[in-house]
Amino acid sequence: MTEDDLQEPVDARLVEALNVLRDTPERSPDLAEQTRTNFLAQLESVRLPRRRFTPWERLKEGLTALLRSPFNSDKENPTMASAKTRLTLAIAAVMVVVTIVVFGGSAVTVLAAQSAIPGDALYPVKRTMERTRLSMTRDAAARAEVELDFAERRREEIETLNAEGRFQNIEAAADAFEAHIRNALAEVDALAETDPGLASEIMARITQTLAGYLDVLSVVLDNVPEPLQADLQRTIGTLGALDGNQNANDNAGLGANDNVGTNDNVDANDNLDVNDNVDLNDNVDMNDNVDMNDNVDTNDNVDTNDNVDMNDNVDLNDNVDMNDNVDMNDNVDMNDNVDTNDNVDMNDNVGINDNVDMNDNVDANENSSVNTNDNENTAPYVPPPPTNPPPPTNPPPPSDTNINDNDNNSPGGSDNTNFNSNDNDD
Amino acid sequence: MKTDALAQADPSRWTGQDLVEVYEQQSPGLYRYAVRLLGDVHLAEDCVSATFTRLLDVLQRGGGHRGNVRAYLYTVAHNWIMDFYRRRVPEVTLEAGNLRGAPGDDPATVVSRERERQQVREALLSLTEDQRQVIMLRFYEAWSHEETAEALGKSVEATRALQHRALERLRSKLLPVRGSGETQ
């Protein structure tokens, strides 16, 4: 290392001193190998964005990521979850009213049926109630919402069935779920002609519901005994073949864009285009949707260059990862924040800034000293100041001494200073 | 020092094999870097390990990092080391693995050399983070001003100024102390 290397004149003795650290101890092969093994083990467990997924994995990963996205993060967001609970309760309340009107005295039975799951004796009552509620709903948007609520119930039932090990009833619930989704999609189709904006909103919710459903199914799949597993797999497979599911998938992309905040009419148009494209949907068609998502991603590219990197990841996963990436940007910032935490520690060293804040407190004290000045101004009224110059001779007027005492009591030397200067002014 | 093509490539396109390659390329240098500042072979390994863990973590979550990966790795390693020193009071580890000398060397010489190293280490630790990073990368790793500036996210002019001030400080820390030590 020379001056030339450092591009500035350097004391040769300093270079010599610093060179003491230049040679480093030979890296122990054992330790190095341990570190390397450690790294390789971690690498094994890491899911790299570019990894190729099987269609099933792709679906699962993508939808899991979608669920993680802030757009519909009720799993991670307790307030949203409780909002959902409140919604459910509100619906339950409506149901009670409807129940009393329709069924009169049998309301108690119906209420009890609300918690029934497939296979329970009261379960048919629950489903009948739902049909009644649906028949009383005329508006397409409302009907779609109701269908979605029911779909959510089916999903919850599947979860309960899974938790209780009643696997043989899961398939029926899954079929019912899909019927609800199909119905909701049909309603949205009708709605799209009159109110595309609202239709797109509901589509987003359908996507969300679908994502939650597939998430549940993926958990269930791990539990279900072998023979039933094939059926469920098929169910998931056929789900992709549903016309409506294509729409839902497309909207998954749309939803992602919503999160990025780039949603606009253009996106909606894209969505419609893709719906046209997606006729031959099956699991592989997820990839078609993925392509659409890429297009949407391209729009994102216009917005931020950072996203360009993320978009390289392609696939449905990617689109959904887009959301993650938006989060990731935060996370990258978080990393910076971790670095910044270092800086925060540095600030501890600086610490003086805190003291500057303390000065604010001093200011407050000065305010209190202003008050004492007021007291003082009143004081000279009682004894005329020029006539009584020496304080010791006069028994000090009680008001005066009190004032002085107050000044001394008030915190901080700065107060005294201010006080004195004010005295001079008087 | 040439920066290899991979270290400049877009990390989001990396395969596992690429990452193994990055590890093989960068881990020896990171180890040297870490052991200089830490003075302990085990801690240096920990630092290397944690640095790559961080890289994997960031990649896994789909986050990229700006600039090339080498600069990123050295920044992470530096932060790890600084965290370490903040957590603990540094102490000279005089265990066998950290004491270096030829088989025939006088033990006293070996120990006094380690003391010298520790002095330099403490002088380096007394620098600001940016100053220290400039000296570590410019002086010991022989990075160019441009490379260093990129790693620090600063301009080349800024790293020049940082280097100058760092050298000033190191001179005042190291040279008088050693001079007075010799006269006593």
Side-chain angles (χ1 to χ4, degrees):
Chain A
M1 178 62 57
T2 65
E3 291 183 7
D4 287 347
D5 295 322
L6 283 173
Q7 296 177 12
E8 76 169 271
V10 191
D11 190 327
R13 290 177 304 151
L14 179 61
V15 172
E16 193 192 334
L18 289 174
N19 271 336
V20 168
L21 268 190
R22 181 166 297 285
D23 291 334
T24 53
E26 191 98 359
R27 194 174 182 186
S28 149
D30 287 349
L31 292 176
E33 189 50 37
Q34 210 175 313
T35 309
R36 187 173 183 277
T37 310
N38 186 20
F39 170 74
L40 292 178
Q42 284 176 349
L43 189 57
E44 275 297 299
S45 66
V46 154
R47 174 178 66 87
L48 288 177
R50 288 290 291 177
R51 196 183 125 201
R52 286 286 152 204
F53 293 94
T54 65
W56 166 241
E57 277 179 318
R58 189 195 307 276
L59 186 69
K60 204 165 103 177
E61 289 295 331
L63 292 172
T64 309
L66 181 68
L67 283 175
R68 272 205 310 268
S69 72
F71 174 62
N72 43 18
S73 60
D74 46 356
K75 286 217 158 174
E76 289 179 359
N77 189 340
T79 57
M80 278 192 67
S82 70
K84 202 169 124 192
T85 311
R86 277 200 301 277
L87 180 67
T88 314
L89 284 175
I91 291 168
V94 170
M95 294 289 293
V96 170
V97 174
V98 171
T99 303
I100 291 168
V101 171
V102 176
F103 288 90
S106 60
V108 175
T109 310
V110 174
L111 264 187
Q114 289 309 307
S115 57
I117 57 174
D120 288 355
L122 285 176
Y123 188 70
V125 178
K126 181 182 184 180
R127 295 299 299 277
T128 305
M129 272 303 307
E130 290 178 355
R131 274 192 288 276
T132 308
R133 181 179 160 200
L134 201 57
S135 69
M136 294 171 70
T137 313
R138 289 272 173 263
D139 174 41
R143 286 179 67 88
E145 295 280 351
V146 169
E147 291 282 4
L148 275 177
D149 285 343
F150 294 165
E152 293 279 2
R153 288 190 196 177
R154 299 296 88 80
R155 196 208 63 207
E156 285 162 14
E157 286 162 3
I158 292 170
E159 276 179 304
T160 313
L161 288 168
N162 176 52
E164 295 183 8
R166 290 158 64 175
F167 301 118
Q168 68 281 3
N169 290 321
I170 287 181
E171 212 189 342
D175 286 340
F177 175 97
E178 286 163 32
H180 289 310
I181 292 291
R182 237 179 273 120
N183 294 343
L185 286 167
E187 298 293 349
V188 168
D189 259 0
L191 186 63
E193 313 228 331
T194 57
D195 190 346
L198 185 56
S200 143
E201 260 176 53
I202 296 176
M203 277 309 295
R205 215 195 129 199
I206 292 176
T207 308
Q208 193 180 342
T209 307
L210 205 55
Y213 171 65
L214 288 168
D215 201 38
V216 167
L217 276 199
S218 70
V219 174
V220 170
L221 264 184
D222 296 336
N223 288 345
V224 169
E226 275 309 318
L228 288 173
Q229 222 171 60
D231 285 343
L232 270 181
Q233 280 279 22
R234 208 178 315 119
T235 306
I236 293 163
T238 55
L239 198 60
L242 296 173
D243 195 27
N245 283 317
Q246 297 160 11
N247 292 333
N249 290 330
D250 295 337
N251 274 288
L254 185 63
N257 289 320
D258 282 339
N259 290 332
V260 183
T262 57
N263 189 26
D264 53 24
N265 293 330
V266 178
D267 284 342
N269 292 332
D270 287 345
N271 190 22
L272 290 176
D273 290 343
V274 176
N275 284 338
D276 291 340
N277 290 337
V278 193
D279 273 334
L280 49 116
N281 236 358
D282 50 22
N283 278 340
V284 186
D285 280 342
M286 292 303 291
N287 294 328
D288 292 336
N289 294 331
V290 167
D291 289 340
M292 186 283 274
N293 293 333
D294 282 341
N295 292 334
V296 178
D297 285 349
T298 316
N299 292 332
D300 290 332
N301 289 344
V302 178
D303 286 341
T304 50
N305 292 327
D306 287 342
N307 286 332
V308 174
D309 292 338
M310 318 304 185
N311 290 334
D312 287 340
N313 296 339
V314 193
D315 307 329
L316 165 69
N317 295 329
D318 286 10
N319 183 27
V320 178
D321 277 346
M322 269 301 298
N323 296 329
D324 279 347
N325 287 335
V326 173
D327 290 340
M328 278 320 297
N329 289 333
D330 292 338
N331 287 334
V332 171
D333 288 340
M334 285 304 289
N335 292 335
D336 291 342
N337 286 337
V338 173
D339 297 345
T340 314
N341 286 335
D342 296 342
N343 292 332
V344 170
D345 286 338
M346 288 303 291
N347 288 335
D348 285 340
N349 291 335
V350 177
I352 301 144
N353 292 330
D354 294 336
N355 291 334
V356 173
D357 289 338
M358 289 305 291
N359 288 335
D360 289 339
N361 294 333
V362 173
D363 287 341
N365 292 333
E366 283 172 358
N367 287 335
S368 69
S369 75
V370 170
N371 290 332
T372 34
N373 289 332
D374 289 340
N375 290 334
E376 225 204 5
N377 287 332
T378 60
Y381 275 99
V382 184
T387 54
N388 295 328
T393 55
N394 266 348
S399 58
D400 261 345
T401 46
N402 285 338
I403 287 158
N404 290 331
D405 284 347
N406 287 336
D407 291 341
N408 290 335
N409 286 339
S410 66
S414 59
D415 295 354
N416 291 333
T417 332
N418 289 332
F419 175 66
N420 287 334
S421 63
N422 288 327
D423 275 347
N424 292 333
D425 290 341
D426 293 334
Chain B
M1 178 174 289
K2 283 267 175 286
T3 310
D4 57 278
L6 188 57
Q8 299 277 21
D10 176 4
S12 68
R13 292 183 178 278
W14 284 350
T15 62
Q17 188 50 45
D18 290 335
L19 277 165
V20 172
E21 213 171 302
V22 166
Y23 179 86
E24 304 295 2
Q25 285 168 353
Q26 303 298 330
S27 110
L30 278 169
Y31 169 79
R32 283 197 312 271
Y33 174 91
V35 82
R36 271 191 198 111
L37 280 173
L38 290 163
D40 182 287
V41 293
H42 295 280
L43 284 173
E45 293 289 348
D46 286 350
C47 176
V48 171
S49 193
T51 300
F52 278 98
T53 300
R54 178 67 167 278
L55 175 68
L56 289 183
D57 195 34
V58 165
L59 289 178
Q60 177 173 18
R61 289 183 297 170
H65 51 80
R66 296 172 187 83
N68 68 63
V69 72
R70 191 181 59 145
Y72 175 80
L73 289 171
Y74 279 83
T75 306
V76 171
H78 183 250
N79 288 340
W80 189 93
I81 292 166
M82 288 311 108
D83 278 346
F84 170 80
Y85 276 114
R86 260 181 233 117
R87 282 194 302 269
R88 289 192 221 179
V89 178
E91 50 189 46
V92 186
T93 44
L94 290 180
E95 85 176 69
N98 298 324
L99 289 178
R100 284 170 280 147
D105 278 358
D106 177 11
T109 314
V110 173
V111 171
S112 88
R113 271 201 212 130
E114 177 54 32
R115 271 196 56 211
E116 284 178 3
R117 279 193 287 270
Q118 187 60 22
Q119 273 182 337
V120 176
R121 216 170 274 137
E122 279 165 13
L124 287 169
L125 289 171
S126 77
L127 300 176
T128 69
E129 299 207 4
D130 286 342
Q131 285 175 353
R132 178 170 46 249
Q133 191 69 322
V134 167
I135 294 298
M136 293 309 293
L137 299 179
R138 292 273 300 123
F139 185 82
Y140 291 110
E141 299 297 323
W143 288 22
S144 70
H145 265 307
E146 288 73 16
E147 289 169 317
T148 309
E150 189 187 347
L152 268 72
K154 294 190 181 304
S155 69
V156 170
E157 290 70 30
T159 62
R160 279 184 206 282
L162 280 168
Q163 175 184 300
H164 181 72
R165 263 176 275 130
L167 289 172
E168 284 290 315
R169 186 169 176 86
L170 288 173
R171 195 193 337 270
S172 75
K173 278 269 173 189
L174 291 174
L175 295 186
V177 168
R178 305 182 106 215
S180 67
E182 280 160 14
T183 53
Q184 277 168 0

